[in-house]
Amino acid sequence: MSEVDPKELRIVGFLCNWCSYGGADTAGVSRFKQPTDLRIIRVPCSGRVDPLFIIKALLNGADGVLVSGCHPRDCHYSDGNFYARRRLEMLKRLLPFLGIDDKRFHYTWISASEGQRWQQTVTDFTRQIHRLGPLHSDKEAQP
Amino acid sequence: MRVGVFICHCGSNIAGTVDVARAAAELRKVPGVAFATNYMYTCSEPGQEEIKQAIQREHLDRIVVAACSPRMHELTFRRTIEKAGLNRYFLEMANIREHISWVGLDKEANTNKAIETIKMAVAKVMQNRPLYSSSFKVNKRVLVIGGGVAGMQAALDCGDGGLEVVLVEKSPSVGGMMARLDKTFPTIDCSICILGPKMVDVAQHDKIKLYAYSEIEDIKGYVGNYQVKIRKKATYVDWIKCTGCGLCMEKCPSKNSYDYFNFGVAPTRAINIPFPQAIPKKAKIDPDFCRQFTKGKCGVCAKICPTGAIDYEMQDEIVTEDVGAIVVASGYGLIDMDKFPEYGAGRYPDVITGIQYERFLNASGPTEGHIVRPSDHAEPKTIVFVSCAGSRDKSLGIPYCSNFCCMYIAKQAILTKDHIPDSQSYVFYMDIRSPGKGYDEFTRRAQEDYGAKYVRGRVSRIYPKGKKMVVVGADTLLGTQVEVEADLVVLATAVTAAPGAAQLAEKLHISYDTFGFYVESHPKLRPVETNTSGVFLAGAAQGPKDIPASVGQGSAAAAKVLALFSKDMLESDPAVAKVNENTCVGCLKCKLTCPFGAIQEKELRGGKVVANVIETVCAGCGVCTSTCPCGAIQLSHFTDNQLLAEVNAICQK
């Protein structure tokens, strides 16, 4: 997308198979254009996402991490996303203590029919990461 | 390890914006990759043959297919590699179409993204382990939710196919919306005359167990083995004793009850049988209006009932049914009239909805088929139909077309002329949508043979003037303002998801779209399946549709259930959690978080307690894996090693 810096940054996305991965597919089928920085990892449920994956990604070179699952109460596995929400909310508060701006991590809920919302989320998050620039943990704002 | 990478062009779908040849060349440099190629259509028969041959020729033991979404073709390619002798879980797909070629225009950036995405898949596939399905028994009973025409069709087809069917209907009678219609387009068949026999078949079928006036309370289990809790709502009438004689309804002194069946066109009694052809033909009390409940005394029906069926103390009852598959045919709803203040709907009695008008036309309706104005019961001579009342209106959050309104307006215009020969109908429309067999001819007949005046334009305002309603609109073909003094105005109100659709979806673990309609597995190729295996869709619960389409889907869903039940055993998905008993410390945190109760305690010989997964119950979400403090429980196919391999593949700079 033109508004986003053509030089790519490294963004990792964990998407649940049933809702958000489907939503990203729907965006594709509808040809909703998106920035190209994001790399998607498919997981069965947002509840499968271990916060340590996110920390590992951020410490090993990712500039941002996005997690997306089913809307609360619409989880394919009943309440996997409730577990995800608790863990990820904790993680968000923990990140500054690791010297990482918590704006580099975002979690959201997108259903399989919400292609447009997926496009918007990817575009907004990518723009946010570009605003923050590449992650050098030593230069990041301290809490 | 010898990984083979197959990059699909998908015609120009992928190759148009991704340099597939460069991607294949880059992949050949990746350690572990023994073979990488690009192919026009990998999913085609020669494409799959190419994979099989390469596996033999190059001695490949892991396969990556970079093509469309795994939600599309993962199963196809799993079968392919299985035929070539590999375990089907030695496959990974890289989604370079939906997530890359279709969403980016920059070929250079797309190609880099594709290469990295394929590298991630290679990293993961190298961590894959062979997995084997076990088989489990199927309970060959089917639950059908909703007793409208789609649900009844599904129930009858399943029943005729020899399956036991549990049919749950939330209102007191089966029949749904179709039972309320007078005639059906484009044949002007009498609706209840063609539906009635089906309703009787449902009641008399020895394989169908009908729960009328019941709702789904809770659903547990998985394909082949669901436990369903059904709430039988209190009717305050013992339906075993009730003969449907209707004496109670005649004598009931509470004459102003809201008539749900007739959409409030006229009041009914607090104890009532909704319509003459109701199945089951049993009375029920509406406690919101019954004097015994509102005032604490009355008891007329109890005194009059010849069989002593009235029971004011009746409570809701919960019953449990075990089934193996579920057909959801829960129907649709209609937008509230008060969403249109400019049309005065709800304020002026002579502005009514299409379905209310249908009840006026219907011989078994409250006016016995005589069309009258609700305000003064006079026969209307000028009738205005307003199409798209709410439909295709983004400001109301309904951008979609309600599918069948154009057709029923044409039908109602024809019927109006039949009922009142000296009447004149006007139809305000945006577009006439009649793309079915015999449909366009039908809308033309309404105009040419029955003289309905079609005005292309929207109605801006409706206001009363004496006894008339003035309809102000635009004629966009003539470019003029139009005012019609009407006796009666009929709004074709927009179709919405059924009330409670979202809550039902949550119980079923199926997805619904922004509007509350249920989402099918694939919009073209899997129209009645959901992403939850064993749950199928039929009728307008999936989106607005007319009777032929609903019946077609009902039968299609039944065919899917019969195909599923053609086997005695189903293969389980082996991507379930497994416990490493050596590292498990027995804290059982996993047991607390498992949404399905799939984890048990198990005592090993030395007395050590560990977690144990019941394979058939585990649904494979992986919540336990991210809970376990020592990584002892791992979700197969999505283990920590596999996911971290993908993370590392992206993050290595």
Side-chain angles (χ1 to χ4, degrees):
Chain A
M1 253 190 197
S2 52
E3 308 99 284
V4 175
D5 188 343
K7 192 176 148 33
E8 272 185 23
L9 292 175
R10 210 162 285 266
I11 304 175
V12 183
F14 292 94
L15 274 64
C16 86
N17 180 48
W18 303 99
C19 293
S20 297
Y21 198 92
D25 280 358
T26 305
V29 172
S30 317
R31 314 296 200 275
F32 292 146
K33 298 289 176 272
Q34 298 154 31
T36 49
D37 309 43
L38 180 75
R39 305 285 178 266
I40 293 171
I41 296 178
R42 182 166 70 130
V43 290
C45 178
S46 54
R48 172 67 190 92
V49 179
D50 193 324
L52 292 175
F53 294 166
I54 297 159
I55 293 175
K56 179 127 181 157
L58 289 168
L59 292 183
N60 283 7
D63 303 306
V65 176
L66 177 67
V67 177
S68 186
C70 304
H71 286 278
R73 296 193 56 79
D74 194 22
C75 174
H76 184 77
Y77 302 102
S78 308
D79 36 38
N81 55 3
F82 289 136
Y83 290 106
R85 187 166 63 182
R86 271 198 202 179
R87 290 172 187 153
L88 299 176
E89 193 52 44
M90 283 296 289
L91 174 74
K92 212 167 175 47
R93 287 162 201 212
L94 180 72
L95 284 178
F97 293 93
L98 298 172
I100 297 169
D101 192 328
D102 64 359
K103 287 200 275 298
R104 293 190 181 274
F105 165 63
H106 182 56
Y107 66 92
T108 183
W109 319 119
I110 287 164
S111 82
S113 60
E114 292 174 321
Q116 204 145 23
R117 191 168 162 146
W118 173 252
Q119 177 194 32
Q120 196 59 47
T121 303
V122 174
T123 311
D124 291 350
F125 187 65
T126 308
R127 204 173 286 157
Q128 180 168 314
I129 297 303
H130 275 264
R131 221 175 286 134
L132 294 167
L135 168 61
H136 306 289
S137 12
D138 49 322
K139 285 189 196 158
E140 203 78 37
Q142 294 299 314
Chain B
M1 209 166 285
R2 296 177 63 81
V3 181
V5 178
F6 298 84
I7 302 169
C8 182
H9 298 203
C10 195
S12 63
N13 282 310
I14 293 170
T17 52
V18 173
D19 185 344
V20 282
R22 179 158 86 82
E26 280 299 318
L27 261 296
R28 276 181 215 117
K29 296 179 198 157
V30 175
V33 174
F35 179 76
T37 186
N38 47 302
Y39 197 84
M40 195 62 169
Y41 287 106
T42 312
C43 63
S44 67
E45 209 182 316
Q48 294 187 45
E49 200 50 45
E50 163 105 6
I51 297 180
K52 283 189 231 164
Q53 282 171 8
I55 290 173
Q56 310 294 346
R57 192 179 62 235
E58 308 283 337
H59 308 290
L60 304 175
D61 54 7
R62 299 283 197 282
I63 300 299
V64 169
V65 177
C68 51
S69 171
R71 286 162 56 100
M72 183 88 149
H73 269 318
E74 191 169 53
L75 203 57
T76 314
F77 293 117
R78 277 182 180 174
R79 288 196 193 116
T80 309
I81 71 160
E82 200 167 49
K83 279 185 196 141
L86 293 186
N87 185 279
R88 51 165 58 200
Y89 289 89
F90 282 158
L91 171 86
E92 282 301 322
M93 285 192 75
N95 185 347
I96 59 168
R97 191 179 74 171
E98 279 84 345
H99 292 182
I100 298 179
S101 72
W102 277 350
V103 295
L105 292 172
D106 180 347
K107 195 162 183 172
E108 180 63 26
N110 278 355
T111 308
N112 285 337
K113 186 176 174 186
I115 291 168
E116 283 191 28
T117 305
I118 301 168
K119 280 182 182 169
M120 283 160 65
V122 170
K124 186 181 174 202
V125 84
M126 291 176 39
Q127 298 290 332
N128 283 15
R129 296 284 169 270
L131 300 173
Y132 303 93
S133 307
S134 54
S135 49
F136 61 93
K137 253 182 98 70
V138 185
N139 180 353
K140 293 188 183 179
R141 298 179 86 220
V142 55
L143 167 73
V144 178
I145 303 172
V149 69
M152 288 198 293
Q153 186 68 37
L156 286 168
D157 285 353
C158 287
D160 290 345
L163 303 179
E164 275 186 51
V165 182
V166 178
L167 176 59
V168 176
E169 164 59 44
K170 77 172 168 189
S171 63
S173 167
V174 294
M177 285 293 191
M178 189 178 167
R180 288 150 159 138
L181 307 183
D182 179 35
K183 302 287 191 297
T184 57
F185 58 78
T187 48
I188 318 269
D189 273 327
C190 158
S191 182
I192 197 71
C193 312
I194 52 176
L195 187 72
K198 264 193 199 299
M199 293 163 63
V200 175
D201 284 352
V202 164
Q204 294 180 347
H205 206 293
D206 57 357
K207 292 279 189 187
I208 300 178
K209 190 170 178 184
L210 172 64
Y211 288 97
Y213 206 50
S214 300
E215 289 190 44
I216 302 298
E217 184 74 7
D218 185 40
I219 297 173
K220 285 219 152 47
Y222 50 94
V223 57
N225 295 283
Y226 285 105
Q227 293 87 46
V228 184
K229 282 199 180 123
I230 300 165
R231 175 181 291 272
K232 291 170 75 178
K233 295 181 279 186
T235 56
Y236 308 104
V237 176
D238 183 344
W239 279 9
I240 296 167
K241 291 183 185 159
C242 177
T243 59
C245 69
L247 213 56
C248 51
M249 200 172 160
E250 263 172 49
K251 301 290 180 194
C252 175
S254 173
K255 294 177 184 168
N256 275 316
S257 304
Y258 185 82
D259 190 344
Y260 292 95
F261 184 78
N262 284 318
F263 287 93
V265 166
T268 185
R269 308 293 172 100
I271 184 164
N272 63 69
I273 298 170
F275 59 108
Q277 300 87 346
I279 299 276
K281 197 174 178 189
K282 307 285 181 190
K284 95 164 219 290
I285 292 175
D286 188 341
D288 293 342
F289 295 96
C290 173
R291 291 185 187 181
Q292 186 71 31
F293 289 91
T294 54
K295 300 215 170 84
K297 61 176 184 185
C298 176
V300 170
C301 50
K303 276 179 220 132
I304 207 91
C305 179
T307 58
I310 311 295
D311 174 8
Y312 297 121
E313 306 298 316
M314 192 184 262
Q315 299 288 322
D316 288 4
E317 191 192 334
I318 306 279
V319 289
T320 307
E321 290 282 356
D322 293 333
V323 297
I326 300 171
V327 176
V328 193
S330 47
Y332 65 95
L334 290 163
I335 192 171
D336 276 341
M337 291 253 276
D338 56 19
K339 293 283 192 313
F340 317 110
E342 69 276 26
Y343 294 166
R347 271 181 295 146
Y348 308 131
D350 293 337
V351 180
I352 62 172
T353 65
I355 191 84
Q356 288 178 324
Y357 192 61
E358 202 73 40
R359 297 310 297 156
F360 280 117
L361 291 168
N362 195 309
S364 65
T367 57
E368 294 173 340
H370 299 295
I371 304 175
V372 296
R373 287 154 52 102
S375 60
D376 58 1
H377 290 266
E379 195 175 69
K381 297 292 179 198
T382 309
I383 294 152
V384 172
F385 296 91
V386 180
S387 67
C388 299
S391 311
R392 302 173 67 193
D393 189 341
K394 277 189 185 166
S395 67
L396 291 173
I398 303 182
Y400 55 85
C401 166
S402 292
N403 182 303
F404 46 72
C405 320
C406 286
M407 291 307 297
Y408 83 63
I409 287 175
K411 175 195 73 182
Q412 290 181 342
I414 289 175
L415 294 175
T416 306
K417 196 76 176 172
D418 280 342
H419 280 68
I420 313 168
D422 60 341
S423 67
Q424 177 62 55
S425 295
Y426 292 85
V427 178
F428 282 87
Y429 70 100
M430 285 163 77
D431 297 289
I432 301 175
R433 300 200 160 171
S434 50
K437 193 174 172 181
Y439 283 16
D440 203 55
E441 297 92 312
F442 186 77
T443 53
R444 289 207 160 272
R445 254 175 74 201
Q447 299 169 56
E448 288 160 10
D449 301 349
Y450 289 84
K453 287 197 175 134
Y454 272 62
V455 183
R456 190 183 192 277
R458 302 209 67 176
V459 171
S460 59
R461 197 156 80 92
I462 299 170
Y463 64 91
K465 184 177 169 191
K467 284 191 166 184
K468 300 267 187 184
M469 301 301 302
V470 181
V471 181
V472 186
D475 185 331
T476 53
L477 294 179
L478 292 176
T480 55
Q481 279 275 341
V482 187
E483 276 193 22
V484 181
E485 291 197 0
D487 297 310
L488 185 64
V489 181
V490 179
L491 304 181
T493 41
V495 170
T496 61
Q503 288 82 338
L504 181 62
E506 283 154 14
K507 287 173 191 160
L508 287 158
H509 304 310
I510 59 175
S511 344
Y512 51 95
D513 64 19
T514 334
F515 315 109
F517 294 112
Y518 299 152
V519 177
E520 65 281 5
S521 197
H522 189 279
K524 288 167 196 73
L525 302 177
R526 288 157 69 86
V528 297
E529 287 120 306
T530 64
N531 281 329
T532 302
S533 119
V535 180
F536 303 95
L537 302 175
Q542 180 259 348
K545 54 179 64 65
D546 59 5
I547 295 165
S550 299
V551 172
Q553 280 206 331
S555 286
K560 288 288 169 192
V561 174
L562 285 160
L564 177 73
F565 287 174
S566 63
K567 299 184 206 104
D568 294 324
M569 306 288 276
L570 286 183
E571 291 216 325
S572 69
D573 183 353
V576 294
K578 286 204 176 68
V579 180
N580 180 345
E581 291 175 355
N582 294 325
T583 48
C584 175
V585 294
C587 68
L588 296 167
K589 281 198 173 109
C590 51
K591 190 183 167 188
L592 292 174
T593 52
C594 177
F596 302 93
I599 297 172
Q600 290 175 324
E601 281 181 59
K602 175 174 153 191
E603 204 178 305
L604 299 180
R605 247 190 288 177
K608 182 188 173 191
V609 172
V610 293
N612 183 43
V613 178
I614 314 164
E615 270 185 42
T616 49
V617 182
C618 175
C621 63
V623 170
C624 55
T625 311
S626 33
T627 305
C628 182
C630 40
I633 190 164
Q634 288 290 331
L635 174 65
S636 305
H637 211 56
F638 292 98
T639 60
D640 286 346
N641 283 345
Q642 286 170 311
L643 295 176
L644 285 173
E646 287 189 87
V647 171
N648 289 339
I650 312 170
C651 294
Q652 272 165 14
K653 291 211 171 176

